[in-house]
Amino acid sequence: MLVTWKYRPRDTFIQRLDPRTRIIMLACMVVAFTVFWDLRVVLPLAALSFALFGLARIEWRDVKRAVLFISAFAIILVIVNAILGARGAPPSVRADVSPVVWQSPEIVIGSWHWAFRITAARIMFMISQLLRFLGMAFMAIPIPYTLDPELYGATFRQLGVPDKPSYSIDLAFRLVPTLARDFGITIDAQRARGYELDKVKGGLFERIRRLAPIIVPVVIQSIVDGEEIIDAMELRGFGVGKRTWTRHLHYRPVDYAIIAVGLVFAVVCTLMGLLQIAADVWLPPLLLSLAG
Amino acid sequence: MSQLPLVIKHLSFKYRNRPTYALQDVSLELKPGELVVVAGTSGCGKTTLIRCINGLIPRSYKGDLEGTMLFNGVGASTFSLAKLSQMVGTLLQDPEKQILGSQVKSEVAFGPENLGLPREEIAARVNEALDRLGIGYLRDRETFSISGGEKQKAALAGLLAMRPNILLLDEPLASLDPASAREALAVFRKLADEGASILLVEHRVEDTLATNPDRIMYLKDGCVKYLGKPDGLADAVDWREVKLPAPQVIRRVQTSGQPSRPSAPPPDRQLRATHAAPVIVFDRVSFGYGEGPDILKDVSLEIRTGETVAILGPNGAGKSTLIKHAIGLLHPRRGRVLVEGKDTRELSVAQVAHTIGYAFQSPTHMLFAPTVNEELAFGPHNLGYPQNEIDDSVAASVSILNLNGLESYPPLSLSFGQQKRVTIACVVAMRSKILALDEPTAGQDFGNYMSFMDSILLNEGKASDGKPVVSNFDAVLFITHDLDLAVTYASRVILVADGAIAADGMPETVLKDYALLQRCRVVPTSLLAENIRLLPQTGKFQRAESLAAVR
């Protein structure tokens, strides 16, 4: 059975908004984040995102795991990316022409010299990219916890998405916590058979092979559940014609105002992007002075 | 005749890529307000028949379909699935698989929404369906938070909102506790009395008699072996294959002279148990998830060598939570659980698995290996047994659970009933001292589960070469909704209700108290009633065929 996220009704500004407003705002913020690299713009944007996250007033114990996991993932990704290729960075970062802030001792093998160098531009790229990731994530994380599961499908339908994709999104939203529950049951069932997850050792492929007792049942369970959901939907006439969505959403003036601000904001950001405003990393004088 | 809701003539179906017919020459006429029970063992074609009627065959499941099917005199093939869904409502075996809405009201509205009806009409239909089943109070509840019986009523309301005149109910009692099952049956009868034509597919034949069915159809290997009044069924079927009411079994065995199966004596009750040291001790255990309320409340009990313990009680009472504490998957909020004298907090689950083997309820949550043999070897291998011992215990488990011939099959390709037996075999193969089973009879034929329970509990199983198979567990615990399983096999019954032990003792004492059973949502069966009636002569509970010898 599909289970839902830990949603609970809260009388907050965020939850009083029409869900569509929140999806549109999320899209506008994503647009803004993707345009800028200048920390002087990215930082306020991220601060706005964190503030909105705070306004959602979700209990920390509910989101703790999601926040910690996503943050750790983002930090690792950003550091690895900055060290390796700086993919997606503005040309000035990849050119590596800014002053070097730190350099490792040189490794000499025969006539080959190598040292790890980190430039001011790469440091600023790292910080900006991390804030861009986290800013977008903190806009998205509250949605499953603060959006009534009853409204998933209706929200997207009333945003103009057709019936079938809207209901698919509804099911997909609920698939994530369902998968988590199935994982829990399977891990328990295999532990009861003497399987110890922390004793899975060996090379990458060996580890994957030894994870089969967990992976296979969860995948198969999802496929079986999927087929049963399709049967249950077909037996009740899903997909045979245009459907009615009983839940009907209504914008309030505050929704219109926020959407208007959001859209103007997104358009301005896009224009700034086209004009290459704040599109490069900012090198603070303090950092440059450190580089000497 | 042409106006009958459903007429099936000479229906046969063979799934694509299967060599044999799943259904052969089935004919049935269903009148308005008629309730027909369809019974049969696993693989008899019950589910295929339902799929043919509700249109999933041939639309979703391809194969060779022959014969004719008429709805109100019109050929089935002329109807679209949308139209068909308004004439035929199908209640799937597990309401959990059927429910799509996150709240009860959206679940009930789902069908009418798909028909594109106006919102006002959908609202009216939702209210009507909820009121008809008396579950208006569930309207705004989240579907995953309601009980099994309530889920089923919500799923049924979802069908009624489509206003079908035919209802197909596919093993609707399988996941319900006995009291919920009894309530569900009363609802089915009421719907039939209101004019719905109902096909109730169920292998728990005895239970379905509570609906006072008009007719019973018995299917075997896809063919109709019996179709007629309920009274005639007992003489038409083998009582070892289909669970019949105890008085009918007794009469059949008495009239046939000798019982055709040796009547097994109940296990050697209490003799070994009384003086043995306890293997599992629950010492004032309380437990709840997160910061939620207590699910187990101050539970104290001891399990000793030699005991066969049946744990009975309604869904959500805390039965599985109790066992999960014993194997160390859960730890108490207050109190402690000792396994062989050691606190489970100090043991890993793998260490406890040497003492207690626990078979989870759902097979698909644990099966993964490419063959049955490898699946069975997984547990013993994890516990570090030498290869020759693993081979021996795998072979013995295959015999005990009637899996002979399936050793090299992928477990996930087997039927649900077979998968369930593989999960039990997996744990039997671990040779833990204590075996704990969660709903071992779910999805199993009567003949099959009696056979493996005999093997596990009475050590009278036989391998395919005729050699006896001995399982030799120090103690066996089983959670069940099947009261007759407790009557037949248990040396001790624990009734759990609302997270606490409501009663604990010998079945002859505990199960005699009907008021107590009612409080724990356990419904007395005819076998229990016969046993209580004959208890002065027998002194202990016995299976139906053994009672035949008591005059």
Side-chain angles (χ1 to χ4, degrees), chain B residues 143-156:
Chain B
T143 44
F144 73 84
S145 69
I146 59 180
S147 76
E150 289 170 338
K151 277 179 191 150
Q152 192 173 59
K153 284 183 189 164
L156 190 55

Side-chain angles (χ1 to χ4, degrees), chain A residues 27-209:
Chain A
C28 294
M29 286 292 278
V30 169
V31 168
F33 273 117
T34 50
V35 167
F36 304 114
W37 283 107
D38 191 320
L39 188 66
R40 290 166 298 184
V41 180
V42 173
L43 191 62
L45 277 178
L48 176 64
S49 164
F50 298 145
L52 290 171
F53 179 82
L55 272 183
R57 297 224 314 263
I58 313 168
E59 291 69 12
W60 173 242
R61 65 169 185 276
D62 285 354
V63 280
K64 190 171 89 180
R65 283 173 76 176
V67 167
L68 293 180
F69 176 78
I70 290 172
S71 303
F73 184 72
I75 290 169
I76 291 168
L77 199 71
V78 164
I79 292 176
V80 170
N81 186 36
I83 291 172
L84 296 177
R87 286 264 163 196
S92 68
V93 176
R94 303 187 74 181
D96 267 344
V97 289
S98 66
V100 173
V101 177
W102 183 78
Q103 178 172 331
S104 70
E106 211 163 58
I107 299 169
V108 182
I109 302 172
S111 60
W112 185 74
H113 296 246
W114 183 83
F116 175 71
R117 294 179 185 86
I118 187 132
T119 59
R122 287 213 179 205
I123 290 178
M124 293 316 292
F125 165 66
M126 248 190 315
I127 296 170
S128 295
Q129 194 176 39
L130 183 64
L131 285 174
R132 282 164 55 134
F133 273 164
L134 293 181
M136 286 189 250
F138 275 70
M139 285 292 289
I141 290 171
I143 287 182
Y145 298 95
T146 57
L147 185 60
D148 185 347
E150 279 285 289
L151 300 176
Y152 294 159
T155 301
F156 287 93
R157 180 69 193 93
Q158 286 187 246
L159 279 170
V161 180
D163 279 342
K164 284 189 184 176
S166 293
Y167 206 81
S168 305
I169 295 171
D170 188 316
L171 293 175
F173 251 103
R174 291 188 278 155
L175 185 70
V176 177
T178 307
L179 269 179
R181 180 203 56 181
D182 287 344
F183 252 110
I185 298 175
T186 295
I187 287 173
D188 278 357
Q190 306 301 36
R191 285 174 72 204
R193 295 166 77 188
Y195 176 81
E196 289 176 284
L197 200 55
D198 45 2
K199 286 198 178 163
V200 174
K201 292 195 170 65
L204 181 66
F205 289 105
E206 181 62 11
R207 272 171 191 248
I208 292 173
R209 197 181 68 78

Side-chain angles (χ1 to χ4, degrees), chain B residues 7 43 154 162 202 240 248 252 271 371 392 421 444 518 529:
Chain B
V7 175
M162 302 286 272
E202 186 58 63
R240 283 155 297 198
Q248 291 186 11
R252 282 282 300 276
L271 288 178
T371 67
D392 289 349
R421 296 211 299 281
Q444 299 291 322
Q518 195 179 9

Side-chain angles (χ1 to χ4, degrees), chain B residues 151-209:
Chain B
K151 277 179 191 150
Q152 192 173 59
K153 284 183 189 164
L156 190 55
L159 304 182
L160 295 182
M162 302 286 272
R163 296 185 179 157
N165 57 353
I166 300 168
L167 286 173
L168 307 176
L169 313 172
D170 190 0
E171 301 202 19
L173 310 180
S175 56
L176 300 185
D177 59 53
S180 303
R182 195 50 70 94
E183 286 166 21
L185 290 166
V187 168
F188 304 153
R189 181 69 255 169
K190 177 172 169 271
L191 293 173
D193 291 343
E194 289 170 3
S197 305
I198 297 180
L199 219 52
L200 170 57
V201 172
E202 186 58 63
H203 65 232
R204 286 159 66 172
V205 177
E206 179 183 5
D207 297 350
T208 63
L209 295 179

